[in-house]
Amino acid sequence: MANIKSQIKRNRQSEKARQRNKMVRSEIKTRTKSAVDAATAGDAAAAREALKAAQARIDVAATRGVLHAKTAARRKSQLTKQVNTLLGS
């Protein structure tokens, strides 16, 4: 346990940021899975909407520093490729 006031505060801030980042990463995984599930089911319209929502959330995460910009680009690319393959287009 830290004895220094500034370190105690920094620990509180770090924990809040960790929880926030964890929530964002979890949401990205959920949206990605819903896009893949919709594409697997063959529902093109729902898959495109879910894909768009997942990409938007990945962009926001990259903008806020939760994900690195290149990691976000890679995830968006791989997800798009996967959805397109499943839809057969």
Side-chain angles (χ1 to χ4, degrees):
M1 184 68 187
N3 293 323
I4 299 166
K5 273 183 151 182
S6 61
Q7 187 58 47
I8 292 169
K9 180 178 179 181
R10 190 67 195 140
N11 289 345
R12 280 195 319 262
Q13 291 174 329
S14 294
E15 181 59 22
K16 282 174 72 174
R18 186 184 73 80
Q19 292 294 333
R20 224 178 1 253
N21 292 342
K22 183 179 173 185
M23 184 178 66
V24 170
R25 287 190 191 102
S26 175
E27 184 182 359
I28 289 171
K29 287 177 190 173
T30 302
R31 289 180 187 253
T32 299
K33 187 175 180 200
S34 66
V36 172
D37 288 346
T40 303
D43 190 358
R48 297 283 179 217
E49 277 301 313
L51 175 63
K52 188 175 177 183
Q55 288 177 336
R57 196 60 185 121
I58 291 171
D59 283 336
V60 170
T63 302
R64 292 183 180 168
V66 177
L67 294 177
H68 189 275
K70 290 188 178 183
T71 300
R74 183 179 65 249
R75 287 191 183 184
K76 285 170 44 179
S77 174
Q78 289 174 342
L79 178 60
T80 304
K81 185 177 177 182
Q82 187 176 13
V83 169
N84 287 339
T85 301
L86 288 169
L87 291 175
S89 51

